[in-house]
Amino acid sequence: AQSVAQPEDQVNVAEGNPLTVKCTYSVSGNPYLFWYVQYPNRGLQFLLKYITGDNLVKGSYGFEAEFNKSQTSFHLKKPSALVSDSALYFCAVRAFKAAGNKLTFGGGTRVLVKP
Amino acid sequence: GAVVSQHPSWVICKSGTSVKIECRSLDFQATTMFWYRQFPKQSLMLMATSNEGSKATYEQGVEKDKFLINHASLTLSTLTVTSAHPEDSSFYICSARPPGLAGVDTQYFGPGTRLTVL
């Protein structure tokens, strides 16, 4: 079975400060890891993914994430947060050989960036 | 880029009626589409995997007779909530996966459909 944990329901950060959204995972075998962002009443938008290679992955809108195999983590980061980054962020995982390539999502972390 | 649309974006219906939600991949063919359900302030829960030309695969606990899925073409999948009840009220999101190796790790999500059953 595969699972994802996002330990923080909400993260508050001041505009211009660094933003970190935490994610840990559990899978059998090699993980494929994803971050998505959701704005109110909208579907999910892809931010970035880790499949293989460099542990530091750069994605859309200045976001990046670091894959840490020993800690089974894939934290999302942005050096300088913007008010427009306020949204709901989901981490997702699937095992390399997951049947049907199904994704398992974390519970989501709401990010609030204050001016 | 790849675009997935859903129609309607929101719907309100009376208890006991059926509601059909469409999911379309606008600029690519999708051999596989996924249907998710999202409750307020909660994560996405996969309901079923829809494969073009074959029966959908439902996740454990999802009633296939309640949530009918049809994937009749490479660009269209429909989810019909039959005999809807207030507890079916939710945000339904679809995603589409392009065929071939390029689609293995890629899902493009629709904007979602908010269903309210009175």
Side-chain angles (χ1 to χ4, degrees):
Chain A
Q2 52 193 41
S3 64
V4 179
Q6 293 180 242
E8 301 157 315
D9 290 337
Q10 180 160 326
V11 170
N12 297 319
V13 62
E15 187 174 32
N17 282 1
L19 169 63
T20 298
V21 186
K22 296 179 180 178
C23 170
T24 58
Y25 66 89
S26 175
V27 293
S28 298
N30 294 324
Y32 288 5
L33 294 154
F34 304 80
W35 275 103
Y36 292 89
V37 59
Q38 184 182 34
Y39 295 98
N41 295 313
R42 302 295 300 275
L44 275 64
Q45 295 179 29
F46 171 80
L47 283 178
L48 50 81
K49 66 180 178 182
Y50 170 82
I51 303 300
T52 185
D54 194 349
N55 289 344
L56 183 63
V57 179
K58 293 186 182 296
S60 306
Y61 312 118
F63 284 94
E64 59 186 31
E66 186 166 12
F67 170 62
N68 188 316
K69 188 173 183 178
S70 63
Q71 297 185 6
T72 61
S73 68
F74 190 57
H75 301 330
L76 180 70
K77 298 181 180 181
K78 186 171 183 178
S80 179
L82 300 173
V83 173
S84 57
D85 293 328
S86 298
L88 188 57
Y89 291 79
F90 289 100
C91 181
V93 67
R94 77 166 184 90
F96 174 66
K97 294 183 177 181
N101 296 316
K102 293 186 293 186
L103 290 176
T104 297
F105 287 84
T109 298
R110 188 165 301 279
V111 170
L112 180 59
V113 182
K114 298 181 179 179
Chain B
V3 178
V4 176
S5 70
Q6 282 185 242
H7 178 80
S9 56
W10 59 270
V11 57
I12 300 173
C13 69
K14 293 181 179 180
S15 184
T17 61
S18 295
V19 175
K20 180 184 285 187
I21 302 171
E22 295 185 346
C23 176
R24 293 181 185 273
S25 55
L26 299 184
D27 49 5
F28 67 99
Q29 294 182 331
T31 52
T32 302
M33 291 183 172
F34 301 89
W35 285 97
Y36 296 86
R37 184 173 180 177
Q38 185 181 29
F39 290 102
K41 300 183 180 180
Q42 294 189 26
S43 186
L44 279 73
M45 300 299 295
L46 180 65
M47 299 175 65
T49 302
S50 169
N51 293 297
E52 188 268 338
S54 64
K55 291 183 178 180
T57 302
Y58 290 81
E59 294 301 299
Q60 190 173 9
V62 178
E63 301 175 59
K64 60 181 179 181
D65 295 331
K66 171 77 171 176
F67 299 99
L68 300 179
I69 292 174
N70 184 286
H71 194 159
S73 77
L74 287 172
T75 60
L76 173 64
S77 176
T78 60
L79 168 67
T80 301
V81 182
T82 62
S83 187
H85 291 282
E87 58 265 30
D88 298 324
S89 299
S90 191
F91 195 51
Y92 293 88
I93 301 174
C94 74
S95 70
R97 192 178 76 197
L101 292 178
V104 170
D105 303 303
T106 303
Q107 288 188 34
Y108 299 103
F109 286 81
T113 296
R114 183 161 301 283
L115 169 63
T116 302
V117 184
L118 302 177

